[in-house]
Amino acid sequence: MSATRLLFRGARLIDPDSGYDAPGDLLVEDGRIAAVGGRLSPAGEEVEIVDAAGLCLAPGLVDMRVQLREPGAEHMESIETAGQAAAAGGVTTLVALPNTEPPVDDVSVVEFLARRAREVKLAKIHTYAAATRGLLGHDLAEIGLLGAAGALGFTDGVKAVADALVMRRLLAYARSFDQLVIQHPEESSLASAGEVSEGEVATRLGLAAIPPVAEVIMVERDLRLVELTGARYHAAHVSTAAAVAAIRGAKARGLPVTCDTAPPYFTLNETAIGDYRTFAKLSPPLRSEADRQAVVRGLVDGAIDAIASDHAPWDQDSKRLPFSSATYGIVGLETLLPLSLELYHNRHMGLLEVLRRLTSNPARILRLPAGRLAPGGAADLVLFDPDRAWQIDTDAFHSKSKNAPYDGRPVRGRVERTLVDGRTIFRREGSG
């Protein structure tokens, strides 16, 4: 059990929200941040001193796109194992997609997830609600009731809201309740018959292809509807140069538009598929090197607001299949930080800017009181070594599922300790 008072001594304190980046101490009292910066000497009852010299102390990561398999498929991932994976990855707040069984299209399922998260007492878990009943793309879910119950936004998860009239109604209703709409941006009639991105790799492997324009066609359609309705709109896991450019233009016109991407889209390209590697089968699919570079540029110039893990756990029976039969998606909670830090180590972005896309930016989009090192705020913290070199070992993941294409990849940056409300929920063996 953690002490009620913790003093992190001599850390590099990084607050992306304010731009603060300086060495100093941070004091935690009763689950809140009591003081930040300088040399602190708290009086009174016993304080646990954490030697943080050489380490960074930042707000815990806010992961805005996670698939949980509870309820319905706990053999792939449960709320507890997802919480353990999040803790090991420095994620203190995560938001779940509604594609569970049953789907999150009823207030009772929202309440169930909130209750289970409280019981598990690891990362803070929020949820989106289904945009349409049963995630079927036809009848709208109860936007007002689900929002009042705690849903942070509305999406059909891994499926696009394909019908333009349904999407217009969704945006209009969401606008009236000041709710966020999150879209999986893929024109389904172009994408439904494909498995990988159209190009040389698809041709060489003889796999059915998805044209990259399927992404931007959906984004541009939705942006027109946002202009019509004024609703807050978020494009998930953007992966193409054209989609990034469209969102950049929409922001320049003042539309209430945001977007995220995931580490595979700036650390890998379509060649990672190799000879039919199903662990590199994603939706949207891995793209060309030119698209990968465009995603990096979008992160650098702010066209892309956030980085999410896009955590999608699957069991071996779902992935170790012929490529055309295998499911889409990879796990990502435990590799979110080190893979994102490649942007820093490769000198594309400063450390503070990378962390901003993992903490304060997603918190701002979701309107959560998270992602900041501010006195009085919840002590949701991650202590990490930004330069620690190690190799990803999927067998060591806390997640029940191990489906990731990064096994053996050398990375730099490792979580040493994670706290939620001042409670240590993860501590690396041998660390302070």
Side-chain angles (χ1 to χ4, degrees), residues 101-225:
E101 183 56 48
V104 188
D105 63 356
D106 186 87
V107 168
S108 63
V109 188
V110 177
E111 293 173 343
F112 166 80
L113 290 170
R115 183 174 66 253
R116 285 288 294 127
R118 289 193 300 270
E119 291 169 355
V120 169
K121 295 182 179 179
L122 290 166
K124 294 176 179 176
I125 297 178
H126 302 271
T127 188
Y128 301 120
T132 64
R133 292 178 184 174
L135 306 173
L136 297 176
H138 306 304
D139 301 318
L140 293 185
E142 294 286 353
I143 307 297
L145 289 176
L146 289 162
L152 295 187
F154 293 85
T155 178
D156 274 355
V158 298
K159 297 189 292 185
V161 179
D163 187 296
L165 181 58
V166 172
M167 189 62 170
R168 178 184 178 175
R169 289 172 175 163
L170 171 63
L171 289 165
Y173 274 100
R175 175 71 179 85
S176 67
F177 291 103
D178 195 23
Q179 292 288 346
L180 179 68
V181 172
I182 304 96
Q183 175 73 298
H184 169 75
E186 195 169 55
E187 209 292 315
S188 56
S189 64
L190 284 173
S192 59
E195 298 160 343
V196 297
S197 194
E198 190 173 83
E200 180 184 343
V201 171
T203 302
R204 177 172 57 82
L205 296 178
L207 294 171
I210 301 171
V213 295
E215 182 169 280
V216 73
I217 286 172
M218 184 59 77
V219 168
E220 289 182 335
R221 184 207 74 175
D222 288 351
L223 293 177
R224 294 291 184 179
L225 296 176

Side-chain angles (χ1 to χ4, degrees), residues 83-377:
Q84 291 168 349
V91 175
T92 56
T93 300
L94 62 87
V95 190
L97 294 186
N99 58 327
T100 50
E101 183 56 48
V104 188
D105 63 356
D106 186 87
V107 168
S108 63
V109 188
V110 177
E111 293 173 343
F112 166 80
L113 290 170
R115 183 174 66 253
R116 285 288 294 127
R118 289 193 300 270
E119 291 169 355
V120 169
K121 295 182 179 179
L122 290 166
K124 294 176 179 176
I125 297 178
H126 302 271
T127 188
Y128 301 120
T132 64
R133 292 178 184 174
L135 306 173
L136 297 176
H138 306 304
D139 301 318
L140 293 185
E142 294 286 353
I143 307 297
L145 289 176
L146 289 162
L152 295 187
F154 293 85
T155 178
D156 274 355
V158 298
K159 297 189 292 185
V161 179
D163 187 296
L165 181 58
V166 172
M167 189 62 170
R168 178 184 178 175
R169 289 172 175 163
L170 171 63
L171 289 165
Y173 274 100
R175 175 71 179 85
S176 67
F177 291 103
D178 195 23
Q179 292 288 346
L180 179 68
V181 172
I182 304 96
Q183 175 73 298
H184 169 75
E186 195 169 55
E187 209 292 315
S188 56
S189 64
L190 284 173
S192 59
E195 298 160 343
V196 297
S197 194
E198 190 173 83
E200 180 184 343
V201 171
T203 302
R204 177 172 57 82
L205 296 178
L207 294 171
I210 301 171
V213 295
E215 182 169 280
V216 73
I217 286 172
M218 184 59 77
V219 168
E220 289 182 335
R221 184 207 74 175
D222 288 351
L223 293 177
R224 294 291 184 179
L225 296 176
V226 170
E227 285 183 305
L228 192 63
T229 61
R232 292 192 293 133
Y233 172 85
H234 183 88
H237 47 212
V238 293
S239 63
T240 62
V244 174
I247 292 164
R248 186 182 288 115
K251 290 184 172 187
R253 300 197 304 275
L255 294 181
V257 171
T258 54
C259 70
D260 68 72
T261 193
Y265 303 114
F266 58 82
T267 62
L268 301 173
N269 62 30
E270 59 193 346
T271 62
I273 296 167
D275 292 325
Y276 306 99
R277 292 184 65 213
T278 58
F279 279 17
K281 184 178 180 180
L282 287 87
S283 177
L286 294 173
R287 305 292 189 180
S288 68
E289 176 62 14
D291 282 318
R292 187 196 69 81
Q293 292 179 12
V295 169
V296 172
R297 289 194 297 272
L299 286 163
V300 170
D301 68 19
I304 300 175
D305 302 88
I307 302 172
S309 71
D310 216 2
H311 182 76
W314 292 104
D315 58 12
Q316 291 201 19
D317 290 343
S318 302
K319 274 292 189 179
R320 295 193 183 278
L321 294 168
F323 197 91
S324 298
S325 302
T327 52
Y328 295 92
I330 65 174
V331 291
L333 281 165
E334 293 169 75
T335 55
L336 177 59
L337 181 61
L339 292 174
S340 297
L341 286 176
E342 291 188 12
L343 295 164
Y344 164 64
H345 291 300
N346 292 336
R347 300 185 178 181
H348 294 300
M349 303 170 69
L351 181 57
L352 188 131
E353 286 300 316
V354 173
L355 290 174
R356 182 171 288 143
R357 283 149 184 78
L358 293 165
T359 59
S360 58
N361 277 8
R364 171 181 53 82
I365 293 166
L366 298 167
R367 296 181 174 174
L368 288 172
R372 299 188 296 270
L373 289 189

